[in-house]
Structures are given as structure tokens and as C-alpha cells.
């Protein structure tokens, strides 16, 4: 299999350090707030990368840390008058809630900085001993970037460029403006630990070097994270720390970076107030839709997240305004004031709406296949129809080519079409071939869905949940729909067919379509 290695600057063939064993470290979140789309993208991407490596038969050790000590956490905690550790604990919990909803599996190890200060101190001391770092009279420790010859290799920027480009105010403590902090002297009221250099806490970068070493050894297969971690020099600094301590050739063999999430209609999203949190989106769409949406774009490319604004009063679509008009805070159609909170609630996300529709299609296909397979007997082995016979192979090829989930998902559509043709027109194929093909498609989708983290729910449960959500969005009550269906069933029993039909028509006018099955009637929303 191949993937794009940021360090090599090209696609490389992957061979793990020891056969069928892969160690992977991914930089985790700094926990002081709810996760936004950028987090969802990174952790869904690496979740699939890990799942695919496992699907290929590797024993994977996945380490993803929590940054639970940081300036941002301390600042936020002070603002809301809470202890930094309490705030961090809360947002680790919230992170898990969001990731569980997105079916992002827990990493094998999820180390927290606050629990690894010991190994961090030892690593900083090692760097000081090797003269790769220095202690200032005030009790801070800095990494001496000029002492590390390979600095800038990953980001392809050299120290001189960085220095001239540096807009950071001169810090008289540093030997060079590009030196970065390994240990920060404690300020009053901040979390602090004893160290050989006085009380203080770790800088941001050192934790990843220390914790990857602790759980994966000095050299391991893959290091991952968002592209922003290259630009911010975080990964460059990790390399400098780890190789500075353990020598050339150590640390991560390969680097994988995921792309950004871009918000379309920047001005519009600005008036909507920035980012949407995962929590906010999951209140309106099935978590699986967000996961599907993220996976329809290759992990390295940018994702455009369309935010469509609607007037909360008249429902008119608000097209992007430009220039001075952008400051106008009233609806051009009805003149109502555009209040940001109400606008956020009225916003729509076309990408997630498309994902909803696509998932409904796949789950409906699965549900219908299950109905067919539930009766009759297994026809045994034999040929199955094309392209179902090569579905999994093509999926694997796409995934083996730099984890191309977009191509892998697109490659399933011809098989899904075949499934629907076989379901719609049973005579399309001999009975045993049809059944065997549908069974193979069902199993194949289960396996590839396991890698993607999609279609793992019971189809009928998913469809109930999905239709309830759609009904509520349209202002319909699922309980009332069920009640109408009961009335119709009773009318049919009483042979009052006109009344039964009137109920069906009434529901249809509301956007509710009925499907009569063996002894039951299912309903689904067909938006008008
Ligand atoms: Zn890191
Ligand atoms: Zn309006």
C-alpha cells in the first residue's frame, strides 16, 4: 500500500518497522472547548487510516494524546472562574461524546500531559545535558534550534527564513528568536510541578515527544495530525526534540497530514458567528451524515463546508452580500433584524443534507436486502454478478492508494445500483444467482463499511431514526403519523377502503409515504 508522506514530499510504499505491526501517534486536542469541524475531520480521517491498516491485517497501536495543560486552558479557566484541571476533564468528556457519536474509536492509548510530567522532565534534562537546550536565569528552558541541523526539513523552511519572518516580539531570554519553550516557569495560580529548574509546567511541543516515546518507543511508523501542525512548527519542534535527544533516524518514519475545513461564504459565516461545533451539527443531522460527508473528500484535500443562511423570520435564503452591505443586519426581503443566534439555528448545510439522502439510500438498500435474505434458503456457493464480484477488491485498491475514501465510496455506487435493480426486478437474474449476489453485497458492504465506520447500524433502526428526524424538521409528529397508520389499518380491516385511502392521501400530502409489508406498514418522509 502507498500513502503520501509529508517528509518525503511524495507517495511512498509503506512497510512497517516490524512485520504486521504498526505504531501510530496523532496529536490530540487541547481540551478547553467543544470540538469543531476541524477536529471532526482530523480524527475521522485517522480513525479510518487506523481501521484500514487493521483491515490489512496489521496489529496497530494507536496513541492520541490530550493536551490538558496549556495557555489556552489556563486562560479559559480563569475567564469562567474554574480550575484548569476541572475544565480539561470536562472537555475530555465532551470530546469523547462527540467522537463516540461520530463512531471514531478510542485510541489504544490516550495519554494526558498532566500524567506524564515525570517523563517530560527527564526528556528536557536529556536535551539540556546534550546542550540542545538551555535554562534561563528566570527558570524557563528553551530548545536551541540552531543546534539541530535538520530543523525545517518537514515544513521545508530554514531557520533563517523563519527568523526574518518572525513577528514575535524579541525575547531577551532567548539566544535566538526561533528557539521554543520546553519548560515554563510557574506563574501565580497556574498548575505547576517541581523540576530541577524550579516550579513550572511543560511547553506545548515537548509532550508529544515524551508521550510517543513512552508508548511507541524512540522510533515508530507513522505520525499524524492536521496540516496546521506543520505550519505552526509543532511537528518540526517534535522532530527537533526527539532526534535531538535520541539521535538521527529516530522518531517517526512517516508523516501523514490531513487538510483544512474551509467555510464557504466566509462573510455569511462570519455574521453567523464563526465555527459550528460538532454538537450543534449533530443536533440537526445524524452523526453518520457528518462522518460520510467528511469521507467523501480525500483526507489531504481541503473540504468546503457550505453554510447557507436563511432569514429566521421570513425563511428567505440570504445570499452572500459584499462590501459595505455585508454589515447590514436586516433581512433584505422582510426587513427583520438578523440576530446571530436565530440565524445559526436557521442555517442549512447542503453537504450534510446530501449525505443524509445518500445514507438513507444505502440503508434502504440494506434493509430491503435483509428482507429478501430473511426468507427462503441459502443457495450455497457459485458465481455472483458483476460488478458485485469485484466490489471489495476495488475498495481495497482505492484505500491502498493513499487512503482514498472518496474513490472508495464512489466505487461502491455501481454495486448499489445492481442491488437495487435486483430488488426492483427480481426476474433480472436466476433466483439463486440473485440471492447469492445480494448476500455477497450485504457482507461486502458490511466489511468495507467497517473500515469506513459507515452503515454499521441496524438498517431498520437507522431508518426509523432518520424518518423521525425528518418528520420533526417538517413539523410532523411521528406519534401522530403512527396513529394515522393505525386508523388506516383498522379501516382496512373494516373494509372501509375509501376511508383507508383517504388517510393514505392525507399523509402523502404532508410528505409521508406508506409502504405496506408483510403484516406491517412502514412510513417514510418524502419531502414535498
Ligand atoms: Zn503533537
Ligand atoms: Zn426575512
Amino acid at each position: 500500500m502507498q500513502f503520501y508522506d509529508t517528509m518525503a514530499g511524495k507517495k511512498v510504499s509503506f512497510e512497517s518497522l516490524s512485520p504486521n505491526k504498526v505504531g501510530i501517534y496523532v496529536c490530540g486536542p487541547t481540551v478547553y472547548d467543544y470540538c469543531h469541524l476541524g477536529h471532526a475531520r482530523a480524527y475521522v480521517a485517522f480513525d479510518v487510516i487506523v481501521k484500514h491498516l487493521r483491515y490489512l491485517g496489521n496489529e496497530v497501536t494507536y496513541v492520541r494524546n490530550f493536551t490538558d495543560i496549556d495557555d489556552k486552558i489556563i486562560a479559559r479557566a480563569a475567564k469562567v472562574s474554574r480550575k484548569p484541571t476541572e475544565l480539561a476533564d470536562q472537555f475530555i468528556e465532551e470530546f469523547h461524546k462527540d467522537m463516540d457519536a461520530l463512531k471514531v474509536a478510542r485510541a489504544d492509548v490516550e495519554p494526558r500531559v498532566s500524567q506524564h510530567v515525570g517523563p517530560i522532565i527527564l526528556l528536557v534534562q536529556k536535551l539540556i545535558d546534550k546542550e540542545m537546550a538551555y535554562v534561563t536565569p528566570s527558570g524557563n528552558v528553551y530548545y536551541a534550534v540552531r543546534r539541530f541541523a535538520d530543523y525545517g526539513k518537514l515544513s521545508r523552511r530554514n531557520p533563517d527564513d523563519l527568523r526574518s519572518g518572525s513577528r514575535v516580539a524579541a525575547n531577551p531570554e532567548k539566544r535566538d528568536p526561533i528557539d521554543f519553550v520546553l519548560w515554563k516557569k510557574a506563574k501565580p495560580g497556574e498548575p505547576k510541578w517541581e523540576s530541577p529548574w524550579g516550579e513550572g509546567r511543560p511547553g506545548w511541543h515537548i509532550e508529544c515527544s515524551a508521550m510517543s516515546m513512552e508508548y511507541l518507543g524512540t522510533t515508530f511508523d507513522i505520525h499524524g495530525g492536521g496540516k496546521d501542525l506543520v505550519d505552526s512548527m509543532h511537528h518540526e519542534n517534535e522532530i527537533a526534540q526527539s532526534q535531538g535527544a535520541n539521535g538521527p533516524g529516530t522518531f517517526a518514519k512517516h508523516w501523514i497530514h490531513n487538510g483544512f475545513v474551509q467555510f464557504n461564504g466566509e462573510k455569511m459565516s462570519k455574521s453567523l458567528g464563526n465555527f459550528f461545533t460538532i454538537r450543534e451539527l449533530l443536533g440537526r443531522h445524524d452523526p453518520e451524515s457528518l462522518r460520510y460527508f467528511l469521507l467523501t473528500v480525500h483526507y489531504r484535500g481541503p473540504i468546503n463546508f457550505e453554510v447557507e443562511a436563511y432569514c429566521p423570520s421570513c425563511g428567505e435564503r440570504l445570499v452572500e452580500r459584499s462590501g459595505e452591505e455585508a454589515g447590514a443586519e436586516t433581512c433584505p426581503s422582510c426587513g427583520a433584524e438578523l440576530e446571530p443566534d436565530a440565524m445559526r439555528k436557521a442555517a442549512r448545510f447542503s453537504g450534510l443534507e446530501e449525505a443524509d439522502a445518500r445514507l438513507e439510500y444505502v440503508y434502504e438498500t440494506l434493509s430491503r436486502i435483509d428482507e429478501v435474505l430473511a426468507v427462503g434458503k441459502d443457495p450455497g456457493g457459485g458465481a455472483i454478478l458483476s460488478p458485485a464480484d469485484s466490489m471489495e477488491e476495488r475498495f481495497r485498491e482505492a484505500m491502498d492508494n493513499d487512503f482514498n475514501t472518496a474513490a472508495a465510496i464512489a466505487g461502491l455506487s455501481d454495486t448499489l445500483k445492481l442491488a437495487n435493480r435486483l430488488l426492483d426486478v427480481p426476474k433480472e437474474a436466476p433466483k439463486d444467482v440473485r440471492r447469492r449476489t445480494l448476500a455477497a453485497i450485504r457482507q461486502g458492504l458490511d466489511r468495507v463499511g467497517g473500515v469506513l465506520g459507515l452503515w454499521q447500524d441496524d438498517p431498520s433502526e437507522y431508518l426509523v431514526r432518520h424518518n423521525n428526524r425528518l418528520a420533526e424538521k417538517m413539523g410532523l409528529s411521528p406519534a401522530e403519523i403512527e396513529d394515522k397508520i393505525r386508523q388506516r389499518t383498522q379501516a382496512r380491516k373494516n373494509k372501509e377502503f375509501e376511508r383507508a385511502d383517504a388517510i393514505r392521501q392525507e399523509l402523502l400530502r404532508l410528505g409521508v409515504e406508506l409502504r405496506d409489508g408483510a403484516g406491517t406498514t412502514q412510513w417514510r418522509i418524502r419531502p414535498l
Side-chain angles (χ1 to χ4, degrees), residues 310-316 318 330-336 338:
Y310 288 81
C311 170
S313 299
C314 69
E316 197 68 29
L318 302 168
T330 54
C331 168
S333 292
C334 72
L338 296 174

Short mmCIF file of all heavy atoms in Angstrom, two decimals, residues 310-316 318 330-336 338, ligand 2:
data_model
loop_
_atom_site.label_atom_id
_atom_site.label_comp_id
_atom_site.label_asym_id
_atom_site.label_seq_id
_atom_site.Cartn_x
_atom_site.Cartn_y
_atom_site.Cartn_z
N TYR A 310 -30.41 31.56 6.10
CA TYR A 310 -31.82 31.85 5.81
C TYR A 310 -32.32 32.87 6.83
O TYR A 310 -31.88 32.86 7.98
CB TYR A 310 -32.66 30.57 5.88
CG TYR A 310 -32.41 29.65 4.73
CD1 TYR A 310 -31.31 28.79 4.73
CD2 TYR A 310 -33.23 29.65 3.60
CE1 TYR A 310 -31.04 27.96 3.67
CE2 TYR A 310 -32.98 28.82 2.52
CZ TYR A 310 -31.88 27.97 2.56
OH TYR A 310 -31.62 27.16 1.49
N CYS A 311 -33.24 33.71 6.40
CA CYS A 311 -33.82 34.67 7.33
C CYS A 311 -34.69 33.92 8.33
O CYS A 311 -35.59 33.18 7.95
CB CYS A 311 -34.65 35.70 6.59
SG CYS A 311 -35.61 36.73 7.71
N PRO A 312 -34.41 34.08 9.62
CA PRO A 312 -35.20 33.36 10.63
C PRO A 312 -36.67 33.80 10.63
O PRO A 312 -37.53 33.05 11.08
CB PRO A 312 -34.54 33.73 11.95
CG PRO A 312 -33.20 34.30 11.60
CD PRO A 312 -33.35 34.90 10.24
N SER A 313 -36.98 35.01 10.11
CA SER A 313 -38.36 35.48 10.14
C SER A 313 -39.15 35.04 8.92
O SER A 313 -40.21 34.43 9.05
CB SER A 313 -38.40 37.01 10.22
OG SER A 313 -37.77 37.42 11.40
N CYS A 314 -38.63 35.32 7.70
CA CYS A 314 -39.43 35.02 6.51
C CYS A 314 -38.96 33.77 5.79
O CYS A 314 -39.60 33.30 4.86
CB CYS A 314 -39.44 36.21 5.55
SG CYS A 314 -37.85 36.51 4.77
N GLY A 315 -37.80 33.21 6.20
CA GLY A 315 -37.33 31.98 5.59
C GLY A 315 -36.64 32.17 4.25
O GLY A 315 -36.25 31.20 3.60
N GLU A 316 -36.48 33.42 3.83
CA GLU A 316 -35.83 33.70 2.56
C GLU A 316 -34.34 33.37 2.64
O GLU A 316 -33.70 33.64 3.64
CB GLU A 316 -36.04 35.19 2.23
CG GLU A 316 -35.79 35.58 0.79
CD GLU A 316 -36.83 35.01 -0.18
OE1 GLU A 316 -38.00 34.78 0.23
OE2 GLU A 316 -36.44 34.79 -1.33
N LEU A 318 -30.62 33.94 2.29
CA LEU A 318 -29.83 35.17 2.29
C LEU A 318 -28.56 34.92 1.50
O LEU A 318 -27.69 34.18 1.93
CB LEU A 318 -29.49 35.59 3.72
CG LEU A 318 -30.68 35.82 4.65
CD1 LEU A 318 -30.23 35.92 6.09
CD2 LEU A 318 -31.46 37.07 4.24
N THR A 330 -30.08 43.54 8.68
CA THR A 330 -31.50 43.27 8.48
C THR A 330 -31.71 42.46 7.21
O THR A 330 -30.89 42.48 6.30
CB THR A 330 -32.30 44.59 8.34
OG1 THR A 330 -31.70 45.37 7.31
CG2 THR A 330 -32.31 45.38 9.65
N CYS A 331 -32.82 41.72 7.16
CA CYS A 331 -33.14 40.88 6.01
C CYS A 331 -33.58 41.77 4.84
O CYS A 331 -34.47 42.61 5.01
CB CYS A 331 -34.25 39.92 6.39
SG CYS A 331 -34.98 39.06 4.99
N PRO A 332 -32.98 41.61 3.65
CA PRO A 332 -33.36 42.43 2.52
C PRO A 332 -34.81 42.18 2.08
O PRO A 332 -35.43 43.03 1.45
CB PRO A 332 -32.39 42.04 1.41
CG PRO A 332 -31.51 40.99 1.96
CD PRO A 332 -31.94 40.65 3.33
N SER A 333 -35.37 41.01 2.40
CA SER A 333 -36.73 40.70 1.98
C SER A 333 -37.80 41.26 2.91
O SER A 333 -38.74 41.90 2.49
CB SER A 333 -36.94 39.19 1.88
OG SER A 333 -36.19 38.68 0.83
N CYS A 334 -37.64 40.97 4.20
CA CYS A 334 -38.72 41.35 5.12
C CYS A 334 -38.31 42.44 6.11
O CYS A 334 -39.13 42.93 6.87
CB CYS A 334 -39.23 40.13 5.89
SG CYS A 334 -38.08 39.53 7.13
N GLY A 335 -37.01 42.78 6.09
CA GLY A 335 -36.56 43.86 6.96
C GLY A 335 -36.35 43.46 8.41
O GLY A 335 -35.99 44.30 9.23
N ALA A 336 -36.57 42.18 8.73
CA ALA A 336 -36.39 41.74 10.11
C ALA A 336 -34.93 41.83 10.52
O ALA A 336 -34.03 41.68 9.69
CB ALA A 336 -36.88 40.30 10.27
N LEU A 338 -31.47 40.64 11.80
CA LEU A 338 -30.83 39.33 11.72
C LEU A 338 -29.99 39.10 12.97
O LEU A 338 -28.86 39.55 13.08
CB LEU A 338 -29.97 39.23 10.46
CG LEU A 338 -30.76 39.33 9.15
CD1 LEU A 338 -29.82 39.37 7.96
CD2 LEU A 338 -31.74 38.17 9.01
ZN1 LIG B 2 -36.72 37.97 6.07
#
